[in-house]
Amino acid sequence: SAVISQKPSRDICQRGTSLTIQCQVDSQVTMMFWYRQQPGQSLTLIATANQGSEATYESGFVIDKFPISRPNLTFSTLTVSNMSPEDSSIYLCSVAGEGNTIYFGEGSWLTVV
Amino acid sequence: KQEVTQIPAALSVPEGENLVLNCSFTDSAIYNLQWFRQDPGKGLTSLLLIQSSQREQTSGRLNASLDKSSGRSTLYIAASQPGDSATYLCAVITSRVDTPLVFGKGTRLSVIA
């Protein structure tokens, strides 16, 4: 199985600020995925991050708001920029691991005040 | 476009009961189907992965079945316990493993002692 560590696990952020979430995997993976889960909702894919290329964003998500870095095969960051209360969500990193199983990190729970 | 539906949205059962959670998907050309568990404010824990060539998978008190032709999967939980209380999410991958999951909205299970 893949072990995924996310930081921070929780944070309370001021409106208008930006926060970077880190995702570290214990093995090399080709693709990493970033999801958002708003309160009471299921998961929505933000973007797919490949090492060495620009991230691919889903409809409704843009690079200026959610810039992503993928400097190597075990690490990625997602930044939530110019935050508003609507950005209060759990942000989750995931990868495809052994046996084609999808694994998730514990999530980063952001509250914007 | 693949859509995943989970029924019921919420379920409350007394401890010890056997129960079934349902998942349906609109495009039968799936690669994998995976069941997850999510505790409040936490990330996702993978429970069972069923590949498209398989009909079921078992882990402990959990059994997941897959009927691709009818677009259905079920998660059977035997002898439910209060610790099983969580939201159960069904997700499918419609092509290769390096494409993101499509999630249902989940079934919120409460097991009453």
Side-chain angles (χ1 to χ4, degrees):
Chain A
S1 66
V3 178
I4 304 172
S5 301
Q6 275 189 243
K7 294 181 181 178
S9 57
R10 288 177 179 265
D11 208 340
I12 298 174
C13 306
Q14 295 295 318
R15 186 192 303 248
T17 63
S18 299
L19 182 79
T20 296
I21 302 166
Q22 299 179 3
C23 178
Q24 178 75 53
V25 189
D26 68 344
S27 58
Q28 293 185 341
V29 292
T30 303
M31 303 182 82
M32 297 174 77
F33 306 103
W34 286 98
Y35 288 84
R36 180 176 74 180
Q37 187 178 29
Q38 294 177 303
Q41 302 296 314
S42 190
L43 282 76
T44 301
L45 181 68
I46 298 171
T48 302
N50 290 339
Q51 194 269 333
S53 64
E54 294 289 329
T56 302
Y57 289 83
E58 295 297 300
S59 175
F61 297 96
V62 295
I63 188 171
D64 289 346
K65 175 69 175 176
F66 297 101
I68 288 172
S69 77
R70 184 77 200 276
N72 57 53
L73 291 173
T74 63
F75 187 78
S76 178
T77 67
L78 169 74
T79 299
V80 186
S81 303
N82 188 25
M83 285 185 284
S84 67
E86 292 72 31
D87 294 320
S88 297
S89 298
I90 303 174
Y91 292 85
L92 296 126
C93 166
S94 82
V95 303
E98 183 180 336
N100 299 332
T101 301
I102 305 296
Y103 296 95
F104 281 83
E106 281 293 307
S108 299
W109 195 354
L110 303 188
T111 302
V112 184
V113 298
Chain B
K1 178 183 174 184
Q2 178 74 269
E3 293 184 359
V4 179
T5 303
Q6 290 188 246
I7 295 174
L11 181 64
S12 182
V13 300
E15 181 177 7
E17 269 203 11
N18 303 325
L19 58 102
V20 175
L21 308 181
N22 296 292
C23 172
S24 61
F25 44 94
T26 54
D27 184 348
S28 62
I30 67 169
Y31 186 80
N32 286 339
L33 184 144
Q34 196 163 349
W35 284 91
F36 295 88
R37 168 187 172 138
Q38 186 176 32
D39 293 286
K42 299 289 188 179
L44 277 67
T45 300
S46 177
L47 297 174
L48 289 165
L49 171 75
I50 309 178
Q51 303 207 13
S52 62
S53 59
Q54 298 173 325
R55 292 194 63 84
E56 67 177 335
Q57 284 286 329
T58 298
S59 175
R61 293 183 294 109
L62 305 179
N63 176 276
S65 69
L66 174 64
D67 184 343
K68 272 183 54 178
S69 60
S70 66
R72 296 180 186 277
S73 176
T74 62
L75 179 66
Y76 175 82
I77 302 177
S80 58
Q81 303 171 357
D84 295 330
S85 299
T87 296
Y88 290 81
L89 292 157
C90 167
V92 300
I93 301 173
T94 51
S95 56
R96 293 162 40 183
V97 68
D98 57 355
T99 57
L101 298 168
V102 178
F103 281 89
K105 292 187 176 182
T107 294
R108 190 172 65 254
L109 174 65
S110 297
V111 181
I112 311 300

